[in-house]
Each structure stands twice: as C-alpha cells, then as structure tokens.
Amino acid sequence: EGCREGGGDMAARGAGGLCAQGAGGLALLGLAPGAPSCPHGPALLFVKTSQGREEGRRFYACSACRDRKDCNFFQWEDEKVSEARLAAREEYNRNHQPSFTHRQNVERYNNFVLLPLSKRRFCQECQQLLLPAEWEKHSDHQFLCDVSSAQLKSPSQLLYPLENKKTNAQYLFADRSCQFLLNLIIDLGFRRVLSVGTPRLHEMIQSKASQEEDFRVRSLLLDIDFRYSQFYTEDEFCHYNMFNHYFFGREASYETCRKFLNQDNDERVIMVTDPPFGGLVEALASSFKKLMTMWKETEKEDHNNQEMPMFWIFPYFFESRILEFFPSFSMMDYQVDYDNHALYKHGKTGRRQSPVRIFTNLTPSMIVLPVEEGYRFCAICQRYVSSGNQHCEICDSCTSKDGRRWKHCPLCKKCVKPSWFHCYNCNCCALQNHTCEKTGAGCYVCGKAGHKRSTCPSLS
C-alpha cells in the first residue's frame, strides 16, 4: 500500500523526510542526549544502511520537515562543529522563531475581540489577526474583513490548511468524524481530551464549552502549527512537535500539559492523536510513550500497570507497525474522513474508501460504531465491524481491513484482499499483475533472510 504523503489533522512532519519504514537505506535511531537543534527542536539521529554491509555513518536531521528546502539541518554525529558555525546556527534558529510569543498573541486576541466588526481584519497572506495600527504594514496583502466571533471560534476554517505535499499536509476532520469522536469520548465517560494534532476536535470542544452550560469536557491542544496560539490561551494550546516530544514553550508548556493530565475530581483523560501519515511510526510512538509516562506520574491513582487511554488515528496498512510498539492496541473498523482531502471520504466504494482507522488500547466492545452507517456488532469478535467485514470461521476473526469482504487463502493460511490471487513464484497472495520478487531476498541491512530491516539485529 505504501504510505501517503501528508498527514492527518495536523501539519505533516515526516521525521527526516522518510516514510514510516525508514525507506531509502536509512534507519531512525531516535533522540540522542545532547543532540543539536534546528528551529523545530532537537534533531533526530539516523544511520545510513546498505544491504549486506555493516552499519554506516550516523547523522542528525530535522525531526519535523520532510523537505530539505524547508529545513536543511544536517550534521554528522562525529563531526566537529566550529564555534563560528555554532553561533551562526543559534542565530538562524532565533531568526526562524515566530514574530510574537504565545503570551503576546493572547494579548493581541483580547484587543482584537474588543474591536467593532468593521475593524476586525485577518491578513490571509501572513495568516495573522491584525490590529488597526498594523493595517498599513500589510496594505498590499489580501485581507479578510469583518471577522466574526463565530469565525474566531473556528480557527481551523479561518486559517489556510497547510497543504504543500512535500512539507505539510494539514487535513482536517470532517464534521461527521469529529462529532462521532466527541460523542464517543463523552459516552465512554472521559472529561479531558489531550488533543495531539487534532485542532478541529479541540475547537469543537472549546466551542461547545463556551455555548453549553452543562458541557463538562475540556481539551488541551498540542500542535506544531503555532498559528493556533492567536486563538487559544496558554492553558488551551501548547506549541509541540510530536516527532521529538519537544515543547517549544519549554518548562511552562510542559507543566501545562502535566497539570492537564492530572485527573482531578475523577475526571478521566484520553489522548486523541491524528499524526501525519508520512511520518515515522517509531518517532511518533516514542513521543506518545513519553506522554503516557507523564500521565502515569500524576500521582492521583495507581497507574503502574495501565496505559493512558488513547485513540491513534492512522491508515489501516500501518497496523503491524503500531502493534509492534503498542501490543495492547487494536484497530477499529470506523472510517475516519477529512474535509479537504479528495480521496479520504466516507461512503466511497472499493479502494476509494478512506483507509484511516482508529487504533485504541480500550476494550474493543466498548467502541460502539453507528449502526445507521452500516456497522454491526460481531458477537464472536466482541467488536463492531463494517457491514462488508464477514467473520471467517477458519481465521476465527472478522478479517477485512478496508471495508470490502476479504477471502481466505488456504495456502497463505489467512484472509486476503478480494483482488489478490495466490502467486506460486512468490509463495504468497498478491495482485494478479504484480512483479514477482525473489523469495530468497533478505534483509536490506544485513542481507540475511527471515526478518525485515526494522527488526534487524544489526541495528539493535
């Protein structure tokens, strides 16, 4: 299936410009103590690999940007960097920080809402709320005038989605999926939502909280898109890079997040995350485990043998990778769809259906899916499945991943997609017009058979 360029409900940031399997002869080694930084926080450590040879030279690269044109940070691990270059790098990092701090943006917002409607302007080129004194500076830019209070409560619709395929791909939940997630969270008894890269879910919660007196759910948004700091206070938004677990606001932001995870008055917390699908799963998993550790350290309850409840929204073809890092997770059949993505829409058929699913560590039977959309409960699997997902008696499971009815292959001893056929050359099922590969092909790193690059002992 391959990985999609882009991301979920957050600006896409594929660590080091790689797809999820570390393709292209590169492997992620993770965050290293004392790692150098770029404008997106500490860089990640990678290693070059080549088939059948020993591990290559290690280097640091930006954790966030997928294109070297957007952040060209690169440094060999064993490289001696001169004082002049270090000073130039620090200057570069300073110059690439936002024009205003979060606190300044909050003050600007408070002044903006006091303005009459006729004086409320938003610069579409700079993606910035403008105060009257700043109009002249932006005089040759395109304005959005008469910005209403409703628009200010829906910043994800006011801001341009970041859709440059090679740098960002900010796809936002459709109302159907957003409302379903919120209803599910409420029905499951959660009252605090750590929204990691899910701005539309966050704003729906914020909007309901301001309009409905008896609405008790609270949300904290962690996102790399600093534009949201114009609309949310420091208790509602933290500037955060989910690929290196970096809080740009340092200790203050970290403490905001830690306090939010502290379950006062029996308010249960759930984390909902919609990472960019082009990002490295291992980098994401590392950050999510650190957020889980923050939750465990909140002393109110004994969390020793528990994981923070979590919804990880990701394409179904990454299931094995997610389960590799979170064995307690299971994948739900619910199709998550997006407003501004032509392919990721609910209700389409065949390969046009949205491949995005919910992975969770909650008991599958607790996740009730809407019957009116064709989901049904399988009493044997004890979970809700899509209407086309038929229970296989041989596998003893509802095996379909993509909404279509899959077929059982007795030679592969598992169910496969309906368009696949068993290839005796490859000794597995594949598309009928596929190119056969040598069955003896081994690991890309060491050349030996029996394992993939991601689990190669040479990289341990």
Side-chain angles (χ1 to χ4, degrees), residues 225-238:
D225 189 347
F226 191 67
R227 296 178 302 171
Y228 285 104
S229 69
Q230 298 178 86
F231 305 92
Y232 299 122
T233 67
E234 290 160 296
D235 290 330
E236 297 166 339
F237 169 78
C238 293

Side-chain angles (χ1 to χ4, degrees), residues 15-16 18-23 25-31 43-49 59 61-63 243 279-286 321 325 453-454 459:
L18 302 175
C19 288
Q21 290 288 349
L26 297 175
L28 172 69
L29 299 177
L31 272 172
L44 294 179
L45 185 62
F46 294 87
V47 63
K48 283 193 171 185
T49 58
F59 64 90
C62 176
S63 64
F243 284 102
L280 286 166
V281 173
E282 45 265 72
L284 293 167
S286 173
R321 295 288 290 151
F325 295 101
R453 181 213 64 77
S454 58
L459 291 179

Side-chain angles (χ1 to χ4, degrees), residues 376-389:
R376 59 179 179 79
F377 188 76
C378 176
I380 305 170
C381 293
Q382 283 292 293
R383 69 181 182 97
Y384 279 82
V385 296
S386 63
S387 55
N389 194 355

